[in-house]
Structure formats: structure tokens, C-alpha cells
Amino acid sequence: MATAKKIVVCGGNGFLGSRICKSAVARGWDVTSISRSGEPAWQSVTAYSTPPAWAHKVTWERADILKPSTYSPLLKNADFVVHSMGILLEADYKGVISGRESPMAGLQRAFSSTKGGSQNPLTRKANEDLKPQDGQLTYELMNRDLAITLAEEANKEKVSAFIYISAAGGAPVLPGRYIQTKREAESTISSQFPTMRGVFIRPPFLYDSSRAITVPLAAMTGLGAVFNSVTGGIFGGIMGAAGVKPLRADLVADAVVEALSDQTVKGPVEAKEIEQLAEHAWRKSML
């Protein structure tokens, strides 16, 4: 009997991460989730307040994402590692919304062309923590430096495949640094760790009925995708992810697990290929 694959999902208690864990459990894999809080607050990621049956087959570990020494031991003997962490809105936005700073000051900083992340993740000393330069959870720190650091730790453990949850594009309402830092993470991981199969999932807007707010937003994004299609995609660069058909979070999760299973999948995976991978996964489940 073949040994079950071991997958570690960093950010496994989140909206997409928890669904990746669910899909991996359905394959019979050994699943570990790493996050700051451990097990999810189920009402925030599902329609229920109690753990679903599959959740009891996941090992929910706690670790500090800024301190690799707290999670690197959990990567030992892993076949696959998934980075499913990141931020859509920076702390600057939250300060404006909560009234802790003026809208003008907050937005000026939010839309600045550059911001600090951490020290260079690739030149860290052994067991050195990441040190946020601005004291904030910036795109540079969350979307880029943490991903590169996790990939480096995974590579040390000779993990065969690493998936980074990227994005289909930015959006008119987001600073350009949002997508820029994701692309920088993809490029660095691909070039610095060539022996580890890097897969960069680029999903559009994700929705699920358990998170009610995502359904009308998905409908709006769907209209944007139709507009982008009928205009020949000429506004695609401006619209970013807002011009791409939204996908169900469960579908993307199934595609992630299928991508790990298929050794031919490597590099960027766009929305159409995500749907194809999910269909392959569904067909396998019917056998």
C-alpha cells in the first residue's frame, strides 16, 4: 500500500486554505495546517460554527509566520507545501477605516510606490526572524517576503512541490504594489529554488455561499468579466482580476490539490487552467 502524501498548508485556517485542507483530506493525504491561531473560527470560513467531519483529520498547528524556527520543524518529511497567506488590504486601509489616522495620510502611504518589507529573506542568518521594516503588515512583507522565506524553508527540507497562491491580477481600487509583490514572489521562488517544482496559482475573485458578502461581489465581478470579453479584452490591463470570471473557492482548492498531484504542472496557472485542473479532480473522484 502506497504511503499517504504529506501536505503542509500555511494559512490552512483561512477561506481558501481550509478548503485546500478539505480537498487534500478527501485524497487520503496526511494534512497539516499552520497558522497563528491554529484551528479556524469555523463560522468565518464555513456556514457552521462547529468543525465539519473532515476537520478532525487535519493537524491544526500554531506558529508565528514571522519566525521560521516556529514552523520549519513541521515541514519535515512533507511532500508538498502550500502558501495560502497574504493580504488584500494593508494596515494603512484599516487605520483609515477605523479613524486612527486621516484618510489623506493613510491613503498617501497606502498608494506609495514603495514600502518596506523585511530584511532580504534570502540572506537571513540561520533561525533569524523576519523583521518588518515599517512595523506594518505590508504587501512586501505578507505577499512577497513571507512566501519566499517559506519556500526557502521548504526547499531545505527537499519538498517536491511548492504552491504559492498568487492572483489573476490587481484591481482598480488596489495599489499596484498588491500584484507587483505577488509577481516578485513568483519570480524569486522560480529562480532561486529550481529543483523544487514551483506552482503559482493565479485565481480571480473567490466566492462561496457560506460567506454571503462574496456572492453579490462575485456577481459584479462576473459582469466585469463579460464586459472584458465583449470588448476583446482591451481593458484587461486596467480591470485586472475584476475582468476575470470569478470562481468558487472549493473549485480552486480542488485545482490546487490536483496541481500537486500532476507533476507536469509548473509555473503560473491562470483561471482557465484552474478550471481544467478542478474538472480533472472531479473526474477522478467519480472513478
Side-chain angles (χ1 to χ4, degrees):
M1 184 176 179
T3 304
K5 296 293 186 182
K6 179 178 179 180
I7 180 174
V8 178
V9 183
C10 293
N13 67 344
F15 182 54
L16 177 59
S18 61
R19 287 164 171 78
I20 295 172
C21 291
K22 176 185 176 182
S23 185
V25 165
R27 297 270 181 131
W29 293 0
D30 179 349
V31 184
T32 296
S33 165
I34 300 176
S35 65
R36 185 180 290 270
S37 59
E39 191 169 345
W42 290 106
Q43 66 275 14
S44 69
V45 295
T46 70
Y48 308 99
S49 59
T50 56
W54 61 264
H56 300 293
K57 298 180 180 179
V58 176
T59 301
W60 303 99
E61 297 282 1
R62 294 186 180 189
D64 187 335
I65 56 175
L66 296 176
K67 299 178 179 180
S69 61
T70 66
Y71 64 73
S72 56
L74 301 172
L75 306 182
K76 292 188 180 300
N77 302 315
D79 296 289
F80 311 126
V81 171
V82 177
H83 179 284
S84 184
M85 301 177 291
I87 54 172
L88 186 63
L89 301 177
E90 288 186 320
D92 294 314
Y93 287 86
K94 296 176 182 177
V96 171
I97 293 171
S98 65
R100 291 195 301 270
E101 62 180 324
S102 72
M104 185 59 68
L107 291 174
Q108 282 179 341
R109 289 195 296 120
F111 282 85
S112 62
S113 60
T114 59
K115 264 194 181 180
S118 67
Q119 73 273 41
N120 186 337
L122 298 175
T123 59
R124 287 182 307 115
K125 298 177 182 177
N127 298 319
E128 183 181 6
D129 297 342
L130 290 178
K131 301 178 179 65
Q133 294 178 0
D134 288 344
Q136 297 178 335
L137 300 182
T138 63
Y139 293 131
E140 286 75 9
L141 176 65
M142 296 297 295
N143 293 351
R144 185 191 64 197
D145 295 353
L146 289 177
I148 294 170
T149 301
L150 177 62
E152 182 179 34
E153 296 298 325
N155 188 62
K156 288 178 183 176
E157 296 298 334
K158 302 189 184 318
V159 168
S160 65
F162 181 90
I163 280 191
Y164 173 61
I165 305 299
S166 188
V173 296
L174 294 175
R177 293 172 26 256
Y178 166 75
I179 195 63
Q180 177 186 336
T181 52
K182 283 185 174 288
R183 297 294 182 259
E184 288 171 352
E186 293 178 13
S187 177
T188 301
I189 292 168
S190 179
S191 63
Q192 293 295 321
F193 314 114
T195 61
M196 181 172 65
R197 180 165 59 97
V199 182
F200 311 118
I201 303 293
R202 294 179 173 179
F205 182 80
L206 304 183
Y207 69 94
D208 186 81
S209 58
S210 65
R211 186 174 281 188
I213 186 62
T214 64
V215 176
L217 290 176
M220 293 173 60
T221 306
L223 292 174
V226 171
F227 174 79
N228 192 36
S229 177
V230 299
T231 56
I234 61 173
F235 296 104
I238 299 173
M239 298 179 71
V244 183
K245 172 187 170 185
L247 296 176
R248 287 188 304 105
D250 283 317
L251 181 150
V252 175
D254 289 343
V256 167
V257 174
E258 180 62 20
L260 290 169
S261 301
D262 186 344
Q263 295 185 10
T264 66
V265 179
K266 186 177 182 179
V269 178
E270 305 289 355
K272 277 191 177 181
E273 191 177 356
I274 291 172
E275 291 188 279
Q276 292 169 355
L277 286 167
E279 183 177 354
H280 293 165
W282 177 79
R283 291 184 183 279
K284 284 183 180 179
S285 70
M286 294 294 103
L287 297 177

